[in-house]
Amino acid sequence: MDWSLLTCAFTGHRTYAPDEPELRDRLCTATASGEAWRCLRCAVFTVGPVQGGGPAELAPDVSRGHHLRDIVVLRFFALERLVRTVLLLLAAYAVWRFRGNRGSLQQIFERELPVLGQAGLDVQHSRILSWIQGALGASETTLRWITVALVAYAAIELVEAVGLWLLKRWGEYFAFVATGVFLPLEIHELTQRVTPLRVGALLVNLALLGYLAWTKRLFGLRGGRAAYEAGRRSESLVEIERAAMAGRDHSL
């Protein structure tokens, strides 16, 4: 998939007229319909007035190629973190509301438990029913701390989502550390019981850790941030054309 063309199809082309005459000529051509400028993202000539101009060093920083793919992947993880945030806040709200209605819920549970047994449910060994009974017996202080823990966890997920969506370096580090901290807990849960949801969550988190470490070059991996930024600059259309001009002059 050509991420550059796909992005231009949705957001439009980006054009720029460098002050340097020879470089300017490489990015512009005359057509029967008027001047056409090469898009800094997809490199396709597009007819119409140029969107900006100035020294080549001040050309807009337009992501292209596999860096656009990185943006799509990181924002997918950001949305996944946002979904987790919403679910955790809903769980916190449910626990908080339950805190003040345990008496009536206890009566309903005790009344309906025999009915569940008659319906064929193994009420003596059901993990879900055991968890509900434990929750009903928890003190108000315990439920309050559970609510606080859920809200704190939701806040961590929200910070991850914001940092990844805004493509901030600190967001990538925060997401890596936060995800890694909770990884042992997720593995422990899988040793207790394997479910599709738990397996899926673990795989998503492992994918995020591997992607951030390798692609974003965190913690100095593969040259660190300097190498990552150099790679981004080397894919700039302006830099590619300047390098082509320098190579031609050198060969001459």
Side-chain angles (χ1 to χ4, degrees), residues 117-153:
Q118 294 172 6
L121 181 65
D122 186 359
V123 295
Q124 298 297 324
H125 302 92
S126 172
R127 195 176 189 86
I128 295 177
L129 293 180
S130 176
W131 182 86
I132 294 175
Q133 285 180 309
L136 289 172
S139 67
E140 184 172 335
T141 301
T142 299
L143 293 176
R144 185 181 295 113
W145 279 113
I146 291 175
T147 303
V148 171
L150 288 171
V151 171
Y153 193 5

Side-chain angles (χ1 to χ4, degrees), residues 81 160 164 170-182 205-206 208-214 218-219:
R81 261 42 186 177
E160 284 188 65
L164 292 175
W170 64 260
E172 296 164 2
Y173 274 105
F174 186 90
F176 188 96
V177 173
T179 301
V181 166
F182 289 104
N205 286 335
L206 288 175
L208 177 61
L209 290 176
Y211 188 85
L212 287 175
W214 183 257
L218 300 185
F219 304 102

Side-chain angles (χ1 to χ4, degrees), residues 29-42:
T29 188
T31 71
S33 302
E35 273 190 341
W37 290 86
R38 291 183 74 186
C39 173
L40 297 181
R41 182 183 294 115
C42 66

